[in-house]
Amino acid sequence: MRAELNKGLIDFLKASPTPFHATATLVQHFEAAGFQRLDERDTWAVETGGRYFVTRNDSSIVAFRMGRQSPLSGGIRMVGAHTDSPCLRVKPQPELQRQGFWQLGVEVYGGALLAPWFDRDLSLAGRVTFRRDGKVESQLIDFKLPIAVIPNLAIHLNRTANEGWAINAQNELPPILAQVAGDERADFRALLTDQLAREHGLNADVVLDYELSFYDTQGAAVVGLNGDFLAGARLDNLLSCFAGMQALLNTESDETALLVCTDHEEVGSSSACGADGAMLEQIVQRLLPSSEDYVRTIQKSLLISADNAHGIHPNYADKHDANHGPKLNAGPVIKVNSNQRYATNSETAGFFRHLCMAEEVPVQSFVVRSDMGCGSTIGPITASHLGIRTVDIGLPTFAMHSIRELAGSHDLAHLVKVLSAFYASHELP
């Protein structure tokens, strides 16, 4: 099971270079399992025992299985994750021609570790909006081939490079696509028009706009002398999206179960399709149109917010509290913060620990050092919007927000097992 899950995650990451592609890949899996698409603009007819999903902005998804009994009876078992990852996004007018090279201006999305982006074989993917036969359409594209690179400056010209230097995102990050003749004018939108034709057979009249991200073409892989690790891009947080999908697809229960994977977590979640928007709340309200039933159900429900945790790095062990250093391949981590950067409380943590014990899944705890700041997740945001009890958990990883992150190859199976038990549980605290 472990090898099969890791292979499935590697394939999922390859198919999901952007939040748009991640959501499309999730849709493919859910449709193959018999889930029906619901359109938010239509009237819904949701049936007991039915399986459904809703997307918004092509980059966020809520998938759910209606229980055989009303959610008012036993609440809703929810798992939350996010589809976006830090990256470099192409600016609206990106063409740069310097020293005979064609480059693209980029904007840093989220809190990216920038140094690992240098000297990588980069490709480009995302959503393109265009006009065709007088109508406005959108389509996902993925160049797949390595079409760009951000070369480092040689050590001979930057003798202090290994002492650390501040990377200037405006000047030092524009990737190089090609060499151009002095009188040749680079046209990025023409390049996108050609890609639409090559990839989809679409003859666009004009490209109107786009949301495109660079990504590393090196695929994810199981690595290490004994295959102990899983290395790849966007483990934060497509790893949790994949685990939540696997758990929802592989469990049956009388209770209602839901997976929500939203965009824009890395930039604060404040969008129509982010956790700080109304998407999840509006969908649950449509399932429970009575305001009293809605509140009663939410108070019987529980959310597991699944996002990666900081594993204790052997070279930087002093960055952790000595008693709270999660280890790779030692199971999921319960994340705690007294200042509510995580939404965990003793009851929700206790219930998650109970699930792990019952399933013989190892479990760990993480608290940031008292003299360091703490990141956050969709957990507190969703808890405050819905009023739902929440536990923040995640799998330990290294190099979070790098272009290539590292997780334990045993931990995905641990997470899928405990999330499956959660979805199948008959009683919540």
Side-chain angles (χ1 to χ4, degrees):
M1 176 182 176
R2 176 169 68 91
E4 182 180 349
L5 282 172
N6 287 337
K7 175 61 165 57
L9 175 60
I10 289 170
D11 292 341
F12 180 73
L13 293 171
K14 181 178 181 180
S16 307
T18 73
F20 303 112
H21 289 83
T23 298
T25 306
L26 289 167
V27 165
Q28 291 173 6
H29 283 276
F30 283 122
E31 285 184 331
F35 281 64
Q36 301 176 47
R37 181 189 291 271
L38 297 175
D39 191 322
E40 292 189 272
R41 296 166 291 187
D42 295 338
T43 300
W44 291 359
V46 176
E47 300 178 353
T48 299
R51 293 175 290 179
Y52 308 93
F53 68 88
V54 184
T55 64
R56 187 179 286 190
N57 189 49
D58 299 325
S59 63
S60 296
I61 184 170
V62 175
F64 57 95
R65 184 186 66 239
M66 297 299 296
R68 297 181 183 90
Q69 58 183 356
S70 167
L72 179 60
S73 173
I76 304 174
R77 286 128 187 83
M78 301 187 193
V79 173
H82 64 87
T83 58
D84 61 321
S85 302
C87 62
L88 303 182
R89 294 204 170 172
V90 182
K91 291 181 176 180
Q93 295 175 282
E95 292 91 348
L96 300 171
Q97 290 186 227
R98 303 186 294 192
Q99 304 301 319
F101 293 97
W102 178 16
Q103 298 175 268
L104 293 181
V106 292
E107 188 176 14
V108 179
Y109 177 88
L113 271 173
L114 296 179
W117 281 82
F118 288 81
D119 304 324
R120 297 278 183 165
D121 299 338
L122 303 177
S123 193
L124 191 64
R127 182 172 66 180
V128 178
T129 301
F130 55 94
R131 188 176 67 213
R132 183 171 65 132
D133 298 331
K135 296 182 179 180
V136 177
E137 303 178 32
S138 292
Q139 180 64 57
L140 304 190
I141 65 168
D142 182 359
F143 281 82
K144 295 184 179 179
L145 297 174
I147 63 169
V149 65
I150 310 171
N152 254 305
L153 183 63
I155 189 72
H156 314 75
L157 305 178
N158 184 10
R159 292 291 184 181
T160 62
N162 290 330
E163 299 171 19
W165 84 99
I167 297 171
N168 186 295
Q170 176 70 19
N171 299 328
E172 299 180 66
L173 290 184
I176 296 173
L177 271 69
Q179 286 186 295
V180 292
D183 57 350
E184 185 179 354
R185 297 299 300 170
D187 188 341
F188 183 57
R189 290 173 191 254
L191 178 66
L192 298 181
T193 301
D194 292 343
Q195 181 64 21
L196 285 168
R198 281 194 301 268
E199 190 173 341
H200 299 290
L202 296 173
N203 295 316
D205 300 328
V206 60
V207 169
L208 300 170
D209 221 319
Y210 50 80
E211 295 169 82
L212 297 170
S213 305
F214 282 102
Y215 70 92
D216 187 4
T217 57
Q218 182 182 4
V222 174
V223 302
L225 183 63
N226 301 311
D228 290 330
F229 312 114
L230 183 65
R234 302 177 299 282
L235 293 179
D236 178 18
N237 187 30
L238 294 187
L239 189 160
S240 299
C241 293
F242 179 79
M245 177 192 71
Q246 288 293 321
L248 185 59
L249 292 178
N250 294 337
T251 57
E252 292 292 339
S253 172
D254 291 337
E255 310 297 343
T256 299
L258 179 150
L259 172 67
V260 53
C261 300
T262 48
D263 197 0
H264 300 139
E265 190 273 346
E266 298 293 358
V267 292
S269 293
S270 294
S271 70
C273 60
D276 202 19
M279 181 181 179
L280 178 58
E281 185 177 9
Q282 290 173 344
I283 289 172
V284 177
Q285 285 176 339
R286 294 185 71 168
L287 303 180
L288 299 157
S290 163
S291 59
E292 180 174 340
D293 288 352
Y294 173 82
V295 174
R296 290 176 62 193
T297 299
I298 289 297
Q299 292 308 307
K300 295 179 181 179
S301 303
L302 193 141
L303 167 72
I304 295 179
S305 168
D307 203 347
N308 297 22
H310 296 293
I312 186 166
H313 194 303
N315 298 345
Y316 307 97
D318 60 344
K319 295 296 184 181
H320 281 74
D321 181 285
N323 291 339
H324 302 91
K327 298 182 182 298
L328 273 61
N329 289 319
V333 179
I334 299 172
K335 300 193 283 187
V336 177
N337 182 260
S338 295
N339 295 302
Q340 289 299 295
R341 301 294 290 170
Y342 304 131
T344 306
N345 64 34
S346 61
E347 288 187 337
T348 59
F351 179 68
F352 186 80
R353 196 177 298 276
H354 159 73
L355 285 175
C356 290
M357 293 173 65
E359 295 299 315
E360 298 183 335
V361 169
V363 62
Q364 309 177 77
S365 297
F366 172 76
V367 180
V368 73
R369 282 178 59 108
S370 299
D371 55 0
M372 293 178 65
C374 181
S376 191
T377 69
I378 67 166
I381 296 172
T382 309
S384 62
H385 273 272
L386 270 63
I388 188 172
R389 294 171 299 165
T390 300
V391 57
D392 269 294
I393 63 98
L395 293 184
T397 56
F398 294 158
M400 193 181 295
H401 290 195
S402 175
I403 197 171
R404 194 166 181 85
E405 300 164 323
L406 193 74
S409 62
H410 297 259
D411 280 332
L412 175 59
H414 291 320
L415 183 58
V416 171
K417 188 175 183 181
V418 71
L419 292 183
S420 299
F422 171 62
Y423 278 141
S425 61
H426 293 294
E427 293 184 4
L428 296 178

